[in-house]
Amino acid sequence: MIDTVDTLVEGLERQGYLTDAALGTALFLALRMHQPILLEGEPGVGKTAAAAALAAALDTPLIRLQCYEGLSAAEALYEWNYPRQLLGIRLAEARGETPREADLFAPEYLLRRPLLAAIEHPGPRPAVLLIDEVDRADDEFEAFLFELLAEGSVTIPELGTRTALVPPIVVLTSNRTRDLHDALLRRCLYHWIGYPDPARVAAIIRRRVPEAGEPLADRVAGAVSRLRSLDLVKPPGVAEAISWANALQLLGLRLDSAAAGATLGAVLKYREDEEAARAALADVLS
């Protein structure tokens, strides 16, 4: 389906995801080299959206694992359906039978979490496995991923090793809240997604919020770019620019000082950032 970088970029754009040749090339290589890809960048620049658009462009399922501190291998891989196992025991006892352990730990009692679901995806096209914000997980979970990324397999003690017949396309994202282990980085292709320039942000807004119109999209894109030049706790990304444009068009406002002051909560997420923006509104809206 995807035989050139341009074909992939066009496929992503048909899904509403505008990208450049550098990211398109990185994703294309991940597909053709059958390697996981790590996308790093500030929050809101489109890392998660890239994986979703890739799955849509390939017409294949997106299987997402949202990482967080304390995430365990069991929560990411599989769990046993204990209520159903207990019901099986009671039904066997009602029939005067003694349930065997092998019967209770059979595949039908398995609850497949994202990693196992991606490994067991039957195809014909590989699923896109999104391991989102892997930097939020603990070192132990990061180490657990090594077998999956290196061999396309996972081990279930009761059932043995499960190896993917159709290995998933693995996309990891990181906001760089901590450094990832070298062993993980060696297994991945890498691409840093930076903030796009105002022209691309405006094009994205027009695609995602077509009701906003070109003048508002251009003005929001420029204002967001200037907001990022301030000393902010959380500089706004593309997601915040889309949210701001959407809020303004829903209220029927153009982006002036009064409208900006009333809608800053759509683009900035900290009180300190709002105060800094209000103090510099003239420069932000220039």
Side-chain angles (χ1 to χ4, degrees):
M1 293 177 59
I2 305 295
D3 53 1
T4 67
V5 174
D6 288 342
T7 302
L8 178 57
V9 170
E10 291 168 3
L12 294 173
E13 290 186 358
R14 283 195 295 272
Q15 304 307 319
Y17 188 86
L18 303 183
T19 186
D20 55 21
L23 176 56
T25 300
L27 292 173
F28 178 78
L29 290 176
L31 295 178
R32 296 300 292 268
M33 296 172 65
H34 307 290
Q35 274 190 262
I37 182 168
L38 171 64
L39 301 179
E40 277 198 329
E42 299 294 336
V45 295
K47 303 182 295 296
T48 299
L54 178 63
L58 297 176
D59 191 23
T60 195
L62 173 71
I63 300 174
R64 179 180 179 182
L65 172 65
Q66 176 62 53
C67 297
Y68 54 87
E69 186 176 354
L71 176 65
S72 69
E75 292 169 311
L77 182 56
Y78 73 95
E79 292 181 274
W80 291 106
N81 191 335
Y82 294 116
R84 190 176 175 190
Q85 287 173 319
L86 182 59
L87 179 60
I89 292 172
R90 289 177 176 172
L91 289 174
E93 290 174 343
R95 294 192 300 265
E97 301 172 356
T98 301
R100 298 181 305 163
E101 183 176 341
D103 293 332
L104 295 176
F105 290 95
E108 58 264 29
Y109 291 106
L110 202 61
L111 295 175
R112 290 161 176 81
R113 300 308 184 200
L115 296 185
L116 184 58
I119 288 291
E120 294 191 343
H121 175 65
R125 300 189 184 101
V128 173
L129 172 60
L130 169 60
I131 303 176
D132 214 5
E133 297 183 319
V134 67
D135 53 319
R136 294 186 180 275
D138 301 326
D139 290 342
E140 293 79 5
F141 181 77
E142 192 179 331
F144 163 74
L145 289 175
F146 294 167
E147 179 185 13
L148 172 71
L149 298 182
E151 302 174 15
S153 64
V154 291
T155 300
I156 301 173
E158 298 86 353
L159 298 176
T161 299
R162 290 287 200 264
T163 300
L165 296 177
V166 185
I169 301 161
V170 182
V171 179
L172 303 96
T173 73
S174 167
N175 295 329
R176 214 169 193 177
T177 58
R178 68 173 178 86
D179 290 333
L180 300 175
H181 197 281
D182 287 346
L184 180 68
L185 298 177
R186 286 198 302 270
R187 287 165 169 81
C188 300
L189 298 173
Y190 177 85
H191 186 77
W192 173 268
I193 301 181
Y195 292 118
D197 61 42
R200 183 170 294 277
V201 173
I204 294 170
I205 292 172
R206 289 194 296 271
R207 183 70 66 94
R208 297 291 297 275
V209 192
E211 303 87 353
E214 186 168 343
L216 180 59
D218 291 344
R219 193 154 173 79
V220 168
V224 167
S225 178
R226 288 186 286 274
L227 279 172
R228 287 199 292 269
S229 68
L230 303 178
D231 185 19
L232 302 180
V233 176
K234 184 188 181 300
V238 178
E240 287 77 24
I242 293 170
S243 178
W244 201 11
N246 194 33
L248 289 164
Q249 73 85 20
L250 284 173
L251 294 170
L253 301 175
R254 60 185 295 272
L255 185 54
D256 54 23
S257 296
T263 57
L264 276 178
V267 68
L268 300 174
K269 310 303 179 182
Y270 288 88
R271 178 178 60 82
E272 297 89 342
D273 289 352
E274 285 197 2
E275 291 175 351
R278 291 182 196 281
L281 268 184
D283 292 331
V284 168
L285 300 177
S286 62

